[in-house]
Amino acid sequence: MESIKAHPFLIKPNNHEVGRIFHANIETPEECMPYAHKLQDGGARNVIVSCGGIGSLLLDEYGQEHIVPTAKVKLVNATGAGDSMVAGFLASTTRGFDYETSLIYAGACGTATAASKGIAKRATIDRVVAALYKKMGRKMPVSISDQITANAAKQEANDASKRRAPPSRISRTGVPRPQGR
């Protein structure tokens, strides 16, 4: 609690960590919101609280409350999901997205990582973003839809070039590689 007096741009505890701080048993984003306000009153500018498979909340620096559900995925390994969530939020806000959209991306990054063996790939994140917009009953902004389409085309072209390219017989040093038997 001492560190939030420095007014960090963002803190992102999960619901269990918030519960330990405030000696409460909280599970849902709605139950966490009063505690997010307390954390913000203590100095944090933006507070995201993740609630596992239930969803997440953001209390932004303007006092606006945002809640996003979690897309349904098969949990593989939650290690790194919170860090991925923070990365998604920061990447989105620095690209100029509003806080609501940034929370959707943050949730998608965290969820996609939890559904992956390691850090999630861009295609997995994009699928989760689309699933979240659908689950929320919202139309995806054209800029996001266009970016997802461009990402998919880029990945498809990359995959196609890998399938077409025969292995080089010349090494990087210009020396012919020995032929296989």
Side-chain angles (χ1 to χ4, degrees):
M1 289 294 290
E2 196 66 28
S3 62
I4 65 173
K5 292 177 183 173
H7 304 285
F9 174 74
L10 174 68
I11 62 169
K12 199 235 61 75
N14 64 42
N15 60 310
H16 302 293
E17 293 164 333
V18 171
R20 282 193 295 276
I21 292 168
F22 293 105
H23 308 289
N25 183 17
I26 47 180
E27 297 297 323
T28 68
E30 293 80 7
E31 293 170 347
C32 290
M33 193 62 77
Y35 301 103
H37 279 276
K38 289 180 181 184
L39 291 167
Q40 193 174 64
D41 291 344
R45 289 174 47 197
N46 294 285
V47 180
I48 293 177
V49 181
S50 58
C51 299
I54 299 171
S56 57
L57 71 87
L58 166 64
L59 177 60
D60 71 34
E61 63 188 323
Y62 304 110
Q64 295 294 307
E65 299 176 352
H66 311 273
I67 294 177
V68 172
T70 301
K72 187 172 180 140
V73 297
K74 181 183 177 199
L75 177 65
V76 175
N77 184 354
T79 302
D83 294 330
S84 293
M85 191 173 198
V86 170
F89 184 80
L90 295 175
S92 298
T93 57
T94 58
R95 288 179 59 205
F97 287 117
D98 61 53
Y99 283 138
E100 177 90 5
T101 302
S102 294
L103 180 61
I104 292 168
Y105 263 98
C109 289
T111 300
T113 291
S116 302
K117 288 183 180 175
I119 299 298
K121 302 280 189 261
R122 181 63 196 237
T124 305
I125 295 167
D126 288 344
R127 282 193 300 274
V128 175
V129 167
L132 281 174
Y133 274 101
K134 184 175 182 178
K135 185 173 186 174
M136 295 169 68
R138 294 189 188 169
K139 183 170 174 38
M140 187 183 309
V142 173
S143 61
I144 295 171
S145 179
D146 289 350
Q147 184 63 52
I148 289 173
T149 301
N151 292 340
K154 189 176 184 181
Q155 184 62 49
E156 189 175 304
N158 189 27
D159 292 346
S161 70
K162 287 180 183 176
R163 286 190 301 269
R164 285 191 303 259
S168 175
R169 293 184 182 200
I170 306 294
S171 72
R172 287 187 216 169
T173 61
V175 178
R177 292 187 176 137
Q179 296 295 314
R181 296 179 204 213

